[in-house]
Amino acid sequence: PITPGELLCLGSSLAFSGLFYYLYRRKARVVARIQEAPKLQVDDDLPALVSAAEGRCLPYVALEGIVLPAQAALTSHYHEGLQGVIQKLLLKEHRLIWNSLARSW
């Protein structure tokens, strides 16, 4: 004899397992697309290639080439001799709205 509490636990366990498996498969597809991304060189042909693409956007590509920092290169605090640059910094602020029903922002 199975009690209703055991059925509830079994059902919720199956539901959570299904949800986590769905999220895992979705992220696995994104990782596969990134790993299969074409490798392009940073050269004079790159702007023409981007403008010829659909929506003027290349979804996943790996760019190879030499870049120069605008001011100074960023150095890693954790790995000696590792440097990097930031291509674009995007700051997005979300507007807070008071929810009077939940009494929260």
Side-chain angles (χ1 to χ4, degrees):
I2 299 176
T3 64
E6 291 174 339
L7 283 176
L8 179 66
C9 289
L10 178 65
S12 63
S13 175
L14 288 174
F16 279 121
S17 295
L19 173 70
F20 292 137
Y21 182 71
Y22 166 75
L23 294 174
Y24 165 76
R25 292 298 302 157
R26 200 168 98 187
K27 296 299 179 183
R29 275 182 267 152
V30 171
V31 169
R33 284 184 64 195
I34 290 173
Q35 288 177 343
E36 295 170 358
K39 294 182 180 177
L40 302 176
Q41 295 292 325
V42 178
D43 56 6
D44 295 334
D45 299 333
L46 187 61
L49 182 66
V50 171
S51 63
E54 180 182 336
R56 296 181 52 132
C57 178
L58 300 173
Y60 289 112
V61 295
L63 293 177
E64 296 178 341
I66 298 173
V67 296
L68 299 174
Q71 295 175 354
L74 301 172
T75 57
S76 174
H77 296 288
Y78 304 106
H79 299 284
E80 193 73 30
L82 187 63
Q83 294 184 340
V85 296
I86 296 176
Q87 176 188 1
K88 182 179 179 182
L89 180 64
L90 176 67
L91 177 65
K92 183 176 182 181
E93 294 184 20
H94 297 280
R95 188 176 70 163
L96 294 177
I97 299 173
W98 175 254
N99 185 347
S100 61
L101 183 64
R103 296 183 183 264
S104 66
W105 287 100

